[in-house]
PDB file of all heavy atoms in Angstrom:
ATOM      1  N   CYS A   1       3.825  12.085   1.829  1.00  0.00           N
ATOM      2  CA  CYS A   1       5.064  12.578   2.445  1.00  0.00           C
ATOM      3  C   CYS A   1       4.838  13.272   3.751  1.00  0.00           C
ATOM      4  O   CYS A   1       4.011  14.172   3.851  1.00  0.00           O
ATOM      5  CB  CYS A   1       5.712  13.477   1.499  1.00  0.00           C
ATOM      6  SG  CYS A   1       7.333  14.146   2.047  1.00  0.00           S
ATOM      7  N   THR A   2       5.512  12.830   4.821  1.00  0.00           N
ATOM      8  CA  THR A   2       5.462  13.602   6.046  1.00  0.00           C
ATOM      9  C   THR A   2       6.874  14.070   6.466  1.00  0.00           C
ATOM     10  O   THR A   2       7.827  13.484   5.984  1.00  0.00           O
ATOM     11  CB  THR A   2       4.916  12.753   7.243  1.00  0.00           C
ATOM     12  OG1 THR A   2       5.701  11.552   7.391  1.00  0.00           O
ATOM     13  CG2 THR A   2       3.442  12.392   7.039  1.00  0.00           C
ATOM     14  N   VAL A   3       6.912  15.088   7.228  1.00  0.00           N
ATOM     15  CA  VAL A   3       8.199  15.759   7.613  1.00  0.00           C
ATOM     16  C   VAL A   3       8.286  16.095   9.020  1.00  0.00           C
ATOM     17  O   VAL A   3       7.286  15.939   9.804  1.00  0.00           O
ATOM     18  CB  VAL A   3       8.534  17.018   6.759  1.00  0.00           C
ATOM     19  CG1 VAL A   3       8.599  16.698   5.253  1.00  0.00           C
ATOM     20  CG2 VAL A   3       7.390  18.051   6.990  1.00  0.00           C
ATOM     21  N   GLN A   4       9.390  16.510   9.492  1.00  0.00           N
ATOM     22  CA  GLN A   4       9.645  17.000  10.816  1.00  0.00           C
ATOM     23  C   GLN A   4       9.216  15.938  11.854  1.00  0.00           C
ATOM     24  O   GLN A   4       9.480  14.761  11.704  1.00  0.00           O
ATOM     25  CB  GLN A   4       8.929  18.377  11.039  1.00  0.00           C
ATOM     26  CG  GLN A   4       9.578  19.448  10.141  1.00  0.00           C
ATOM     27  CD  GLN A   4       8.700  20.692  10.263  1.00  0.00           C
ATOM     28  OE1 GLN A   4       7.543  20.726   9.971  1.00  0.00           O
ATOM     29  NE2 GLN A   4       9.425  21.765  10.702  1.00  0.00           N
ATOM     30  N   SER A   5       8.630  16.380  12.949  1.00  0.00           N
ATOM     31  CA  SER A   5       8.353  15.539  14.037  1.00  0.00           C
ATOM     32  C   SER A   5       7.297  14.422  13.666  1.00  0.00           C
ATOM     33  O   SER A   5       7.400  13.308  14.177  1.00  0.00           O
ATOM     34  CB  SER A   5       7.862  16.311  15.307  1.00  0.00           C
ATOM     35  OG  SER A   5       6.662  16.947  15.022  1.00  0.00           O
ATOM     36  N   ASP A   6       6.366  14.731  12.805  1.00  0.00           N
ATOM     37  CA  ASP A   6       5.403  13.771  12.379  1.00  0.00           C
ATOM     38  C   ASP A   6       6.117  12.581  11.694  1.00  0.00           C
ATOM     39  O   ASP A   6       5.824  11.414  11.926  1.00  0.00           O
ATOM     40  CB  ASP A   6       4.372  14.335  11.446  1.00  0.00           C
ATOM     41  CG  ASP A   6       3.335  15.126  12.158  1.00  0.00           C
ATOM     42  OD1 ASP A   6       3.100  14.916  13.383  1.00  0.00           O
ATOM     43  OD2 ASP A   6       2.577  15.921  11.481  1.00  0.00           O
ATOM     44  N   ALA A   7       7.115  12.910  10.864  1.00  0.00           N
ATOM     45  CA  ALA A   7       7.850  11.793  10.146  1.00  0.00           C
ATOM     46  C   ALA A   7       8.614  10.950  11.202  1.00  0.00           C
ATOM     47  O   ALA A   7       8.555   9.762  11.087  1.00  0.00           O
ATOM     48  CB  ALA A   7       8.862  12.392   9.131  1.00  0.00           C
ATOM     49  N   PHE A   8       9.259  11.623  12.188  1.00  0.00           N
ATOM     50  CA  PHE A   8       9.999  10.906  13.134  1.00  0.00           C
ATOM     51  C   PHE A   8       9.083   9.953  13.928  1.00  0.00           C
ATOM     52  O   PHE A   8       9.331   8.744  14.108  1.00  0.00           O
ATOM     53  CB  PHE A   8      10.630  11.838  14.074  1.00  0.00           C
ATOM     54  CG  PHE A   8      11.347  11.160  15.269  1.00  0.00           C
ATOM     55  CD1 PHE A   8      12.601  10.577  15.121  1.00  0.00           C
ATOM     56  CD2 PHE A   8      10.716  11.124  16.521  1.00  0.00           C
ATOM     57  CE1 PHE A   8      13.133   9.892  16.197  1.00  0.00           C
ATOM     58  CE2 PHE A   8      11.321  10.472  17.568  1.00  0.00           C
ATOM     59  CZ  PHE A   8      12.535   9.862  17.414  1.00  0.00           C
ATOM     60  N   ILE A   9       7.952  10.487  14.375  1.00  0.00           N
ATOM     61  CA  ILE A   9       6.978   9.693  15.143  1.00  0.00           C
ATOM     62  C   ILE A   9       6.364   8.548  14.314  1.00  0.00           C
ATOM     63  O   ILE A   9       6.268   7.409  14.763  1.00  0.00           O
ATOM     64  CB  ILE A   9       5.874  10.567  15.740  1.00  0.00           C
ATOM     65  CG1 ILE A   9       6.557  11.585  16.752  1.00  0.00           C
ATOM     66  CG2 ILE A   9       4.803   9.697  16.369  1.00  0.00           C
ATOM     67  CD1 ILE A   9       5.540  12.636  17.256  1.00  0.00           C
ATOM     68  N   ASP A  10       6.032   8.894  13.101  1.00  0.00           N
ATOM     69  CA  ASP A  10       5.414   7.872  12.145  1.00  0.00           C
ATOM     70  C   ASP A  10       6.337   6.664  11.977  1.00  0.00           C
ATOM     71  O   ASP A  10       5.840   5.507  11.879  1.00  0.00           O
ATOM     72  CB  ASP A  10       5.018   8.457  10.810  1.00  0.00           C
ATOM     73  CG  ASP A  10       3.819   9.382  10.854  1.00  0.00           C
ATOM     74  OD1 ASP A  10       3.175   9.360  11.912  1.00  0.00           O
ATOM     75  OD2 ASP A  10       3.618  10.121   9.848  1.00  0.00           O
ATOM     76  N   VAL A  11       7.643   6.910  11.811  1.00  0.00           N
ATOM     77  CA  VAL A  11       8.580   5.873  11.695  1.00  0.00           C
ATOM     78  C   VAL A  11       8.808   5.069  12.972  1.00  0.00           C
ATOM     79  O   VAL A  11       8.745   3.856  12.999  1.00  0.00           O
ATOM     80  CB  VAL A  11       9.995   6.487  11.092  1.00  0.00           C
ATOM     81  CG1 VAL A  11      11.004   5.425  11.216  1.00  0.00           C
ATOM     82  CG2 VAL A  11       9.815   7.007   9.774  1.00  0.00           C
ATOM     83  N   VAL A  12       9.160   5.750  14.007  1.00  0.00           N
ATOM     84  CA  VAL A  12       9.469   5.120  15.250  1.00  0.00           C
ATOM     85  C   VAL A  12       8.407   4.189  15.861  1.00  0.00           C
ATOM     86  O   VAL A  12       8.685   3.093  16.334  1.00  0.00           O
ATOM     87  CB  VAL A  12       9.974   6.165  16.360  1.00  0.00           C
ATOM     88  CG1 VAL A  12      10.167   5.528  17.677  1.00  0.00           C
ATOM     89  CG2 VAL A  12      11.291   6.800  15.925  1.00  0.00           C
ATOM     90  N   ILE A  13       7.138   4.660  15.722  1.00  0.00           N
ATOM     91  CA  ILE A  13       6.162   3.851  16.256  1.00  0.00           C
ATOM     92  C   ILE A  13       5.868   2.525  15.589  1.00  0.00           C
ATOM     93  O   ILE A  13       5.251   1.579  16.099  1.00  0.00           O
ATOM     94  CB  ILE A  13       4.727   4.602  16.375  1.00  0.00           C
ATOM     95  CG1 ILE A  13       4.197   5.022  15.036  1.00  0.00           C
ATOM     96  CG2 ILE A  13       4.908   5.756  17.355  1.00  0.00           C
ATOM     97  CD1 ILE A  13       2.791   5.644  15.089  1.00  0.00           C
ATOM     98  N   GLN A  14       6.410   2.430  14.452  1.00  0.00           N
ATOM     99  CA  GLN A  14       6.305   1.181  13.565  1.00  0.00           C
ATOM    100  C   GLN A  14       7.394   0.100  13.994  1.00  0.00           C
ATOM    101  O   GLN A  14       7.401  -1.009  13.534  1.00  0.00           O
ATOM    102  CB  GLN A  14       6.316   1.419  12.110  1.00  0.00           C
ATOM    103  CG  GLN A  14       5.180   2.210  11.636  1.00  0.00           C
ATOM    104  CD  GLN A  14       5.190   2.451  10.153  1.00  0.00           C
ATOM    105  OE1 GLN A  14       5.142   1.505   9.370  1.00  0.00           O
ATOM    106  NE2 GLN A  14       5.290   3.714   9.757  1.00  0.00           N
ATOM    107  N   LEU A  15       8.299   0.582  14.859  1.00  0.00           N
ATOM    108  CA  LEU A  15       9.354  -0.326  15.252  1.00  0.00           C
ATOM    109  C   LEU A  15       8.947  -1.364  16.366  1.00  0.00           C
ATOM    110  O   LEU A  15       9.776  -2.209  16.806  1.00  0.00           O
ATOM    111  CB  LEU A  15      10.601   0.455  15.657  1.00  0.00           C
ATOM    112  CG  LEU A  15      11.292   1.275  14.546  1.00  0.00           C
ATOM    113  CD1 LEU A  15      12.382   2.080  15.139  1.00  0.00           C
ATOM    114  CD2 LEU A  15      11.713   0.398  13.483  1.00  0.00           C
ATOM    115  N   GLY A  16       7.779  -1.207  16.856  1.00  0.00           N
ATOM    116  CA  GLY A  16       7.368  -2.078  17.906  1.00  0.00           C
ATOM    117  C   GLY A  16       7.695  -1.571  19.284  1.00  0.00           C
ATOM    118  O   GLY A  16       8.151  -0.471  19.500  1.00  0.00           O
ATOM    119  N   TRP A  17       7.571  -2.501  20.280  1.00  0.00           N
ATOM    120  CA  TRP A  17       7.873  -2.114  21.681  1.00  0.00           C
ATOM    121  C   TRP A  17       9.357  -2.019  21.833  1.00  0.00           C
ATOM    122  O   TRP A  17      10.103  -2.768  21.343  1.00  0.00           O
ATOM    123  CB  TRP A  17       7.271  -3.199  22.570  1.00  0.00           C
ATOM    124  CG  TRP A  17       7.422  -2.884  24.024  1.00  0.00           C
ATOM    125  CD1 TRP A  17       8.366  -3.418  24.887  1.00  0.00           C
ATOM    126  CD2 TRP A  17       6.694  -1.993  24.787  1.00  0.00           C
ATOM    127  NE1 TRP A  17       8.318  -2.862  26.077  1.00  0.00           N
ATOM    128  CE2 TRP A  17       7.217  -1.959  26.104  1.00  0.00           C
ATOM    129  CE3 TRP A  17       5.698  -1.067  24.500  1.00  0.00           C
ATOM    130  CZ2 TRP A  17       6.719  -1.176  27.082  1.00  0.00           C
ATOM    131  CZ3 TRP A  17       5.142  -0.316  25.535  1.00  0.00           C
ATOM    132  CH2 TRP A  17       5.674  -0.351  26.780  1.00  0.00           C
ATOM    133  N   PRO A  18       9.941  -1.016  22.635  1.00  0.00           N
ATOM    134  CA  PRO A  18       9.317  -0.022  23.370  1.00  0.00           C
ATOM    135  C   PRO A  18       9.101   1.267  22.624  1.00  0.00           C
ATOM    136  O   PRO A  18       8.587   2.211  23.014  1.00  0.00           O
ATOM    137  CB  PRO A  18      10.230   0.236  24.517  1.00  0.00           C
ATOM    138  CG  PRO A  18      11.570   0.009  23.924  1.00  0.00           C
ATOM    139  CD  PRO A  18      11.380  -1.093  22.930  1.00  0.00           C
ATOM    140  N   TRP A  19       9.537   1.241  21.329  1.00  0.00           N
ATOM    141  CA  TRP A  19       9.456   2.464  20.453  1.00  0.00           C
ATOM    142  C   TRP A  19       8.083   2.941  20.212  1.00  0.00           C
ATOM    143  O   TRP A  19       7.877   4.110  19.989  1.00  0.00           O
ATOM    144  CB  TRP A  19      10.274   2.232  19.198  1.00  0.00           C
ATOM    145  CG  TRP A  19      11.668   1.676  19.491  1.00  0.00           C
ATOM    146  CD1 TRP A  19      12.079   0.345  19.160  1.00  0.00           C
ATOM    147  CD2 TRP A  19      12.756   2.178  20.132  1.00  0.00           C
ATOM    148  NE1 TRP A  19      13.293   0.086  19.695  1.00  0.00           N
ATOM    149  CE2 TRP A  19      13.747   1.238  20.275  1.00  0.00           C
ATOM    150  CE3 TRP A  19      12.930   3.452  20.755  1.00  0.00           C
ATOM    151  CZ2 TRP A  19      14.898   1.549  20.942  1.00  0.00           C
ATOM    152  CZ3 TRP A  19      14.108   3.733  21.408  1.00  0.00           C
ATOM    153  CH2 TRP A  19      15.119   2.742  21.466  1.00  0.00           C
ATOM    154  N   ARG A  20       7.162   2.078  20.194  1.00  0.00           N
ATOM    155  CA  ARG A  20       5.751   2.423  19.894  1.00  0.00           C
ATOM    156  C   ARG A  20       5.288   3.513  20.942  1.00  0.00           C
ATOM    157  O   ARG A  20       4.377   4.242  20.690  1.00  0.00           O
ATOM    158  CB  ARG A  20       4.896   1.139  20.045  1.00  0.00           C
ATOM    159  CG  ARG A  20       3.471   1.421  19.676  1.00  0.00           C
ATOM    160  CD  ARG A  20       2.641   0.112  19.698  1.00  0.00           C
ATOM    161  NE  ARG A  20       3.350  -0.923  19.007  1.00  0.00           N
ATOM    162  CZ  ARG A  20       3.078  -1.356  17.725  1.00  0.00           C
ATOM    163  NH1 ARG A  20       2.064  -0.695  17.068  1.00  0.00           N
ATOM    164  NH2 ARG A  20       3.673  -2.308  17.131  1.00  0.00           N
ATOM    165  N   MET A  21       5.963   3.522  22.112  1.00  0.00           N
ATOM    166  CA  MET A  21       5.538   4.497  23.090  1.00  0.00           C
ATOM    167  C   MET A  21       5.799   5.975  22.631  1.00  0.00           C
ATOM    168  O   MET A  21       5.176   6.888  23.233  1.00  0.00           O
ATOM    169  CB  MET A  21       6.283   4.221  24.433  1.00  0.00           C
ATOM    170  CG  MET A  21       5.795   3.011  25.116  1.00  0.00           C
ATOM    171  SD  MET A  21       6.830   2.496  26.541  1.00  0.00           S
ATOM    172  CE  MET A  21       7.036   4.040  27.443  1.00  0.00           C
ATOM    173  N   ALA A  22       6.529   6.136  21.600  1.00  0.00           N
ATOM    174  CA  ALA A  22       6.838   7.524  21.104  1.00  0.00           C
ATOM    175  C   ALA A  22       5.502   8.154  20.638  1.00  0.00           C
ATOM    176  O   ALA A  22       5.476   9.374  20.407  1.00  0.00           O
ATOM    177  CB  ALA A  22       7.836   7.484  19.996  1.00  0.00           C
ATOM    178  N   LYS A  23       4.471   7.379  20.447  1.00  0.00           N
ATOM    179  CA  LYS A  23       3.154   7.885  20.074  1.00  0.00           C
ATOM    180  C   LYS A  23       2.642   8.888  20.995  1.00  0.00           C
ATOM    181  O   LYS A  23       1.890   9.898  20.637  1.00  0.00           O
ATOM    182  CB  LYS A  23       2.169   6.698  19.947  1.00  0.00           C
ATOM    183  CG  LYS A  23       0.888   7.029  19.169  1.00  0.00           C
ATOM    184  CD  LYS A  23       0.018   5.764  19.075  1.00  0.00           C
ATOM    185  CE  LYS A  23      -0.539   5.778  17.696  1.00  0.00           C
ATOM    186  NZ  LYS A  23      -1.174   4.529  17.329  1.00  0.00           N
ATOM    187  N   ILE A  24       3.060   8.840  22.255  1.00  0.00           N
ATOM    188  CA  ILE A  24       2.656   9.761  23.260  1.00  0.00           C
ATOM    189  C   ILE A  24       3.098  11.180  22.984  1.00  0.00           C
ATOM    190  O   ILE A  24       2.520  12.181  23.439  1.00  0.00           O
ATOM    191  CB  ILE A  24       3.110   9.360  24.724  1.00  0.00           C
ATOM    192  CG1 ILE A  24       2.330  10.115  25.761  1.00  0.00           C
ATOM    193  CG2 ILE A  24       4.596   9.593  24.866  1.00  0.00           C
ATOM    194  CD1 ILE A  24       2.383   9.432  27.114  1.00  0.00           C
ATOM    195  N   LEU A  25       4.111  11.275  22.183  1.00  0.00           N
ATOM    196  CA  LEU A  25       4.645  12.661  21.768  1.00  0.00           C
ATOM    197  C   LEU A  25       3.676  13.424  21.070  1.00  0.00           C
ATOM    198  O   LEU A  25       3.670  14.678  20.959  1.00  0.00           O
ATOM    199  CB  LEU A  25       5.919  12.488  20.922  1.00  0.00           C
ATOM    200  CG  LEU A  25       7.168  11.907  21.587  1.00  0.00           C
ATOM    201  CD1 LEU A  25       8.233  11.621  20.533  1.00  0.00           C
ATOM    202  CD2 LEU A  25       7.632  12.809  22.689  1.00  0.00           C
ATOM    203  N   ARG A  26       2.618  12.776  20.506  1.00  0.00           N
ATOM    204  CA  ARG A  26       1.612  13.449  19.717  1.00  0.00           C
ATOM    205  C   ARG A  26       0.714  14.357  20.624  1.00  0.00           C
ATOM    206  O   ARG A  26      -0.062  15.203  20.107  1.00  0.00           O
ATOM    207  CB  ARG A  26       0.678  12.527  18.974  1.00  0.00           C
ATOM    208  CG  ARG A  26       1.497  11.777  17.838  1.00  0.00           C
ATOM    209  CD  ARG A  26       0.552  11.423  16.639  1.00  0.00           C
ATOM    210  NE  ARG A  26       1.202  10.473  15.736  1.00  0.00           N
ATOM    211  CZ  ARG A  26       1.925  10.920  14.777  1.00  0.00           C
ATOM    212  NH1 ARG A  26       2.157  12.189  14.529  1.00  0.00           N
ATOM    213  NH2 ARG A  26       2.470  10.058  13.908  1.00  0.00           N
ATOM    214  N   ILE A  27       0.775  14.138  21.962  1.00  0.00           N
ATOM    215  CA  ILE A  27      -0.016  14.976  22.864  1.00  0.00           C
ATOM    216  C   ILE A  27       0.605  16.380  22.927  1.00  0.00           C
ATOM    217  O   ILE A  27      -0.079  17.354  23.294  1.00  0.00           O
ATOM    218  CB  ILE A  27      -0.180  14.430  24.272  1.00  0.00           C
ATOM    219  CG1 ILE A  27       1.130  14.323  24.968  1.00  0.00           C
ATOM    220  CG2 ILE A  27      -0.905  13.098  24.194  1.00  0.00           C
ATOM    221  CD1 ILE A  27       1.023  13.948  26.481  1.00  0.00           C
ATOM    222  N   ILE A  28       1.900  16.509  22.571  1.00  0.00           N
ATOM    223  CA  ILE A  28       2.484  17.815  22.485  1.00  0.00           C
ATOM    224  C   ILE A  28       2.051  18.439  21.186  1.00  0.00           C
ATOM    225  O   ILE A  28       2.098  17.833  20.142  1.00  0.00           O
ATOM    226  CB  ILE A  28       4.057  17.672  22.428  1.00  0.00           C
ATOM    227  CG1 ILE A  28       4.569  16.930  23.725  1.00  0.00           C
ATOM    228  CG2 ILE A  28       4.721  18.981  22.285  1.00  0.00           C
ATOM    229  CD1 ILE A  28       6.025  16.486  23.623  1.00  0.00           C
ATOM    230  N   PRO A  29       1.628  19.707  21.315  1.00  0.00           N
ATOM    231  CA  PRO A  29       1.135  20.444  20.038  1.00  0.00           C
ATOM    232  C   PRO A  29       2.257  20.370  18.945  1.00  0.00           C
ATOM    233  O   PRO A  29       3.414  20.527  19.172  1.00  0.00           O
ATOM    234  CB  PRO A  29       0.939  21.820  20.535  1.00  0.00           C
ATOM    235  CG  PRO A  29       0.656  21.738  21.940  1.00  0.00           C
ATOM    236  CD  PRO A  29       1.524  20.649  22.457  1.00  0.00           C
TER     237      PRO A  29
END
């Protein structure tokens, strides 16, 4: 189970292009 911003990012990056670019949000602490 993941929550908060990790959950959002984990979901969105699986939607393919261009949503995969959300992975860059992980550089934010």
